[in-house]
Amino acid sequence: MKLPACCRTLTAKCLLLGCCAALFISEAVYADSGIVSPAPQRVAELRHLLREDCGACHGLTLNGGLGSPLTAAALAGKPGDSLVATLLDGRPGSAMPPWRPFMSEAEAQWLIRQLQQGMTP
Amino acid sequence: MNARTRLAAMAAGAVVLLAACATPALRGSGDLGVVIERAAGSVQVVSNSSNTMLARIGGLGDLSHASLVYSRDARYVYVFGRDGGISKVDILAGKLVARVLQAGNSIGGAISSDGRIVAAQNYSPGGVKLFDADTLALLADIPALDDNGQPSKVVGLADLPGNRFAFSLFEAGEIWVLDAAQPRAPQVTKYRNVGRNPYDGLASSDGRYYIAGLYGDDGLALLDNWQPQAGVRRILPGYGQGRDKQPVYKMPHLRGWSLAGDYAFLPAIGHHEVLVADRRSWQEAARVPVYGQPVFVMAEPSGRRVWVNFAFPHNDTVQVIDVPTMQVIQTLKPGRAILHMEFTARGDAVWLSSRDDDKLVVIDTATFQTRRELPAANPSGIFFSWRAGRMGM
């Protein structure tokens, strides 16, 4: 369907605005760390993974189960890098599996930062 | 019809309606079941005969990893929530009748052979608590401490004949048998060094065997309750030897009808296999390669076929093993995140919960065709009332 010229301009403007909004969200950066938030669709997928699959061991509310709690209080004072490494590569000798096949390093950093800031799934 | 007669007719109709509410049609509970809606903190009461939902009961707390047991008359269920809540629900009236918060973090429970004691297994602060089945009053608290006083998470709680319960200690690697003949003063028999990190357990339907799966070791720990003096022995100890374990994204569950024909069917931890042991010798009889890490390995009531679901990322799939040939004969994709399966009492159908598609799927076990799909919010466990009369459930 061919739109009138004015509408085409408007559509283009909307598209441009939409792109800017998406860019703005995906480029949201924690001021002190350079950690980048994933795009909204991916954020939703990661939250689902956290809630349902991490939650299988750590509890739906992350208050712990066979796995330890993942609440902000439980993670306070623990170095982010080591938590990211545990998330990506698991912890040998424990039941914690590696999640590297299902997320990037940047996404793991974002997820750990979110948990340390008290995100609930 | 003038205004007065119309009013009279409406009043009469209202009386009929009220009467209907006051005396609902009589119903048995034998074809009913209860489905956990984990995110909503509610349960559905469903009917096997009509494949419909009859009631939804909410306000049951955190139902992630919830399970339940039936009262012996199959009228009530005791729902064990992750938040340590025990909710007693009347499934005929469709309402909550009692509720206690008894621990900080709980994963399940059992009911005694006389139906009078409900036992809860707890992660935090660990241990087992016994409750009066009528009132949910606390009868006894048994902490799960090892010889050094260290607490363990309790897993695999199962009822045994004679008002006894068996359970396993995750950190301590022990199996305990609790004799609750005197429920306010229960006696504990401990079996130490059964293997590293028992993650779940089951009792056979005759109550003779208690088996704990081990996360930290190959094989499983077996207690023969007919010969308790012989202690706990390791079965299937070599299934993973020489092979790297694969990651386990969800712990297997041993509970269910996994004893079929002359065999026990069990999930191999860290391997995409179902293990088959001879029920008499407990020697390995076969390994059946399957699609992923098995979670539930459940035999049809006839014992002729065994159904298997899988851990993430393979949890969109269900496979069926033919017992005589030990072959996978069917691979189904009934929905996203199939968490649980439950057979009708005589196995004409199996109900599956599809967590991520918010539905229940009823499959005809003879044809593998879907009979019906029903909406359910984030469903997990499905428990039918035939469990009321079975041990180890």
Side-chain angles (χ1 to χ4, degrees):
Chain A
M1 186 179 74
K2 194 163 166 58
L3 294 167
C6 58
C7 287
R8 282 205 300 275
T9 317
L10 197 63
T11 310
K13 274 183 180 165
C14 289
L15 276 173
L16 196 64
L17 270 172
C19 285
C20 285
L23 199 66
F24 178 73
I25 290 165
S26 67
E27 298 263 308
V29 173
Y30 292 97
D32 57 338
S33 64
I35 293 174
V36 179
S37 172
Q41 172 65 28
R42 188 61 186 146
V43 164
E45 288 168 8
L46 289 169
R47 288 183 84 107
H48 183 269
L49 191 82
L50 176 68
R51 172 193 167 86
E52 304 295 356
D53 297 302
C54 304
C57 275
H58 296 280
L60 199 75
T61 57
L62 304 184
N63 280 301
L66 208 56
S68 52
L70 301 180
T71 53
L75 300 181
K78 295 191 174 161
D81 288 353
S82 115
L83 293 172
V84 169
T86 299
L87 173 56
L88 287 172
D89 298 319
R91 184 173 283 168
S94 85
M96 177 67 183
W99 293 89
R100 194 180 284 281
F102 310 105
M103 68 182 70
S104 70
E105 198 146 345
E107 289 169 345
Q109 286 171 349
W110 175 81
L111 203 52
I112 290 295
R113 173 56 67 99
Q114 291 288 302
L115 286 171
Q116 288 191 310
Q117 292 184 340
M119 178 173 78
T120 48
Chain B
M1 193 186 283
N2 64 27
R4 179 170 290 185
T5 45
R6 207 161 42 230
L7 265 177
M10 282 169 68
V15 167
V16 169
L17 273 177
L18 279 172
C21 290
T23 54
L26 284 176
R27 168 188 285 285
S29 61
D31 74 335
L32 300 187
V34 175
V35 178
I36 306 284
E37 294 184 305
R38 59 203 293 276
S42 57
V43 296
Q44 280 193 21
V45 178
V46 297
S47 160
N48 281 165
S49 295
S50 58
N51 294 334
T52 54
M53 181 183 82
L54 301 179
R56 176 181 271 123
I57 301 104
L60 307 188
D62 177 359
L63 294 188
S64 59
H65 203 291
S67 67
L68 61 81
V69 294
Y70 277 84
S71 63
R72 62 192 284 162
D73 63 1
R75 175 169 180 173
Y76 300 99
V77 291
Y78 302 90
V79 183
F80 304 92
R82 172 73 92 174
D83 55 4
I86 302 178
S87 304
K88 183 178 179 180
V89 174
D90 181 338
I91 63 170
L92 292 178
K95 64 180 184 190
L96 178 67
V97 293
R99 181 170 160 79
V100 292
L101 265 178
Q102 56 88 32
N105 197 319
S106 179
I107 59 154
I111 187 163
S112 61
S113 48
D114 71 357
R116 293 185 176 172
I117 308 163
V118 172
Q121 58 178 341
N122 294 322
Y123 276 172
S124 168
V128 169
K129 285 185 179 174
L130 305 182
F131 298 88
D132 183 296
D134 286 336
T135 63
L136 295 185
L138 182 68
L139 298 171
D141 182 357
I142 303 101
L145 302 175
D146 67 13
D147 287 344
N148 300 317
Q150 294 301 308
S152 270
K153 299 182 189 80
V154 171
V155 299
L157 176 69
D159 61 293
L160 298 177
N163 279 4
R164 291 175 303 146
F165 298 97
F167 55 92
S168 302
L169 276 57
F170 180 75
E171 284 84 358
E174 298 183 4
I175 291 175
W176 291 10
V177 174
L178 190 71
D179 185 335
Q182 294 182 301
R184 291 181 186 279
Q187 302 296 311
V188 178
T189 305
K190 299 177 183 177
Y191 299 89
R192 296 183 173 85
N193 301 315
V194 304
R196 281 182 295 170
N197 301 135
Y199 60 83
D200 194 18
L202 87 158
S204 58
S205 56
D206 58 5
R208 176 171 177 179
Y209 297 108
Y210 177 77
I211 301 173
L214 303 173
Y215 182 81
D217 284 307
D218 285 345
L220 302 99
L222 173 85
L223 175 65
D224 180 352
N225 291 296
W226 289 10
Q227 303 172 54
Q229 70 284 357
V232 171
R233 66 179 160 129
R234 189 75 60 84
I235 59 169
L236 308 176
Y239 70 77
Q241 270 168 16
R243 295 180 297 160
D244 287 337
K245 267 192 175 183
Q246 296 178 52
V248 178
Y249 292 101
K250 183 176 170 65
M251 285 288 185
H253 287 60
L254 296 177
R255 211 63 66 92
W257 280 88
S258 50
L259 298 173
D262 300 327
Y263 305 101
F265 288 78
L266 300 155
I269 188 118
H271 300 277
H272 293 183
E273 291 175 344
V274 169
L275 303 173
V276 188
D278 182 291
R279 275 181 80 171
R280 293 190 180 196
S281 66
W282 294 101
Q283 297 295 308
E284 182 177 314
R287 300 175 190 182
V288 183
V290 289
Y291 183 70
Q293 166 70 56
V295 174
F296 282 98
V297 178
M298 302 177 93
E300 289 181 4
S302 66
R304 174 63 202 263
R305 291 174 180 149
V306 172
W307 291 57
V308 188
N309 72 335
F310 302 102
F312 175 86
H314 299 113
N315 56 10
D316 64 338
T317 299
V318 170
Q319 288 191 312
V320 184
I321 296 169
D322 178 55
V323 169
T325 59
M326 304 281 180
Q327 300 289 318
V328 171
I329 55 163
Q330 194 70 228
T331 299
L332 303 170
K333 302 267 183 189
R336 291 182 299 159
I338 300 295
L339 294 193
H340 203 231
M341 310 177 282
E342 178 85 330
F343 296 99
T344 54
R346 284 188 274 191
D348 67 303
V350 61
W351 288 50
L352 310 175
S353 51
S354 171
R355 181 194 67 200
D356 290 356
D357 284 335
D358 291 308
K359 67 180 183 182
L360 305 168
V361 184
V362 185
I363 294 177
D364 186 311
T365 51
T367 63
F368 302 111
Q369 298 302 307
T370 297
R371 283 187 190 168
R372 186 142 195 188
E373 293 189 353
L374 297 168
N378 219 231
S380 56
I382 307 172
F383 305 90
F384 291 156
S385 62
W386 54 257
R387 289 170 175 261
R390 308 268 173 94
M391 282 188 278
M393 287 287 151

